[in-house]
Amino acid sequence: GLAVACRRVVHIYRAEGGDVVALSGVDLSINPGEMLALVGPSGSGKSTLVALLAGLMRPSAGRVSVGTYDLGKLTDAEVSRLRGTEIGVVLQGAARNLLPYATLHRNIWLAQRRAARTAGIELDDPERILDLVGLRGKATAKIDELPPGARQRAALAVGIAASPGLLLVDEPTSQLDTHGRDEVLAALETVNHERGTTIVVVTHDAEVGARLGRAVTIRDGRVGAEGRGGQDFAVV
Ligand code: ADP
Ligand code: ADP
């Protein structure tokens, strides 16, 4: 897995009604192979931080690094090569962006082909990827035939199709019942254990946060309390 470091990260949106300071000096270190939950109230800056880690935006100030890459210093082309190869991103609603009438196998294969073109890397067998997310034997199922929890795991499968060292996942369980949620969490745990992938999960769900290794609270654009398993969630 890849290490992640944020140093005095500031992010300001230039909006019509005035500037919005979404992050105001975030310091955060994540070890290779760690699984971490980012929790905090709506509007606290979680999605902004994930977008910076994904290289979808550049910080207004400060440094965001993933592995040996200083994301703010890379060109757009370099960052978009990283995304989809070394950085896997499963944003909110990612399951809706899968090709609904194509099979799981094809959805994974398309992501792999894109990665292979930009970064001649060796790719896993799609069956192996399906195994990791608990969808063994479903390669020929079409996305729109899958129940919501399986669809969300299909989105994870596409996110890890190119074996990223860092996986960023925004609200992976928000639309799911308890069973679906448990399946998605089990899939994330398996990917983390078997591949050593560093995983960052944004969640509103205290139970989800409690099950992941470390929880970091973001509040008003800053890193607040850190806790292990549940301690801090009463106040979130
Ligand atoms: P969270 O993910 O914790 O809900 P966000 O990162 O989405 O928080 O938002 C942090 C702050 O930045 C909020 O005040 C939000 O309204 C603001 N914000 C987010 N995206 C934009 C944008 N594109 N333009 C202006 N303000 C934004
Ligand atoms: P989250 O659920 O992660 O907080 P939101 O639903 O708040 O995300 O935001 C969804 C989208 O709207 C994001 O692309 C975000 O950047 C954008 N957004 C959020 N707040 C604002 C805002 N105040 N002005 C413009 N865009 C915003």
Side-chain angles (χ1 to χ4, degrees):
L2 291 169
V4 173
C6 298
R7 293 288 170 258
R8 297 167 193 270
V9 171
V10 173
H11 195 79
I12 300 170
Y13 290 101
R14 309 286 176 196
E16 273 182 33
D19 291 352
V20 178
V21 180
L23 298 175
S24 53
V26 166
D27 282 301
L28 179 65
S29 296
I30 306 173
N31 294 320
E34 202 177 343
M35 179 142 65
L36 176 140
L38 279 181
V39 298
S42 184
S44 58
K46 305 181 297 295
S47 298
T48 300
L49 185 55
V50 164
L52 294 177
L53 293 176
L56 291 163
M57 311 186 294
R58 280 167 214 279
S60 308
R63 189 163 59 88
V64 176
S65 55
V66 172
T68 58
Y69 302 100
D70 180 342
L71 297 188
K73 292 221 169 100
L74 300 183
T75 64
D76 289 351
E78 286 167 334
V79 164
S80 53
R81 186 189 63 77
L82 279 184
R83 206 183 320 113
T85 58
E86 292 179 71
I87 304 176
V89 183
V90 183
L91 295 180
Q92 279 184 65
R96 287 195 300 272
N97 292 329
L98 301 172
L99 297 176
Y101 307 119
T103 63
L104 251 174
H105 186 280
R106 183 157 182 84
N107 274 277
I108 291 171
W109 178 81
L110 286 169
Q112 289 189 321
R113 191 182 59 170
R114 216 176 302 129
R117 277 186 182 158
T118 52
I121 48 173
E122 214 172 295
L123 297 171
D124 251 353
D125 180 355
E127 292 289 351
R128 171 87 193 103
I129 292 169
L130 290 174
D131 238 10
L132 283 174
V133 300
L135 291 173
R136 158 179 265 169
K138 296 281 186 206
T140 59
K142 295 193 169 79
I143 300 298
D144 78 337
E145 295 165 357
L146 299 172
R151 221 175 279 186
Q152 188 59 33
R153 283 178 289 140
L156 288 179
V158 169
I160 63 166
S163 308
L166 171 64
L167 179 65
L168 305 169
V169 193
D170 200 348
E171 295 287 0
T173 61
S174 56
Q175 309 292 327
L176 303 178
D177 60 16
T178 308
H179 180 64
R181 185 192 66 193
D182 288 346
E183 286 176 335
V184 167
L185 288 177
L188 288 170
E189 281 162 355
T190 303
V191 171
N192 178 249
H193 288 152
E194 301 228 343
R195 281 201 174 158
T197 310
T198 308
I199 303 183
V200 178
V201 180
V202 169
T203 182
H204 279 96
D205 185 335
E207 282 185 57
V208 171
R211 267 187 57 178
L212 301 175
R214 172 159 70 116
V216 168
T217 304
I218 309 282
R219 208 178 276 283
D220 293 334
R222 286 177 199 279
V223 171
E226 278 196 25
R228 196 157 269 288
Q231 286 142 273
D232 293 322
F233 290 97
V235 294
V236 168

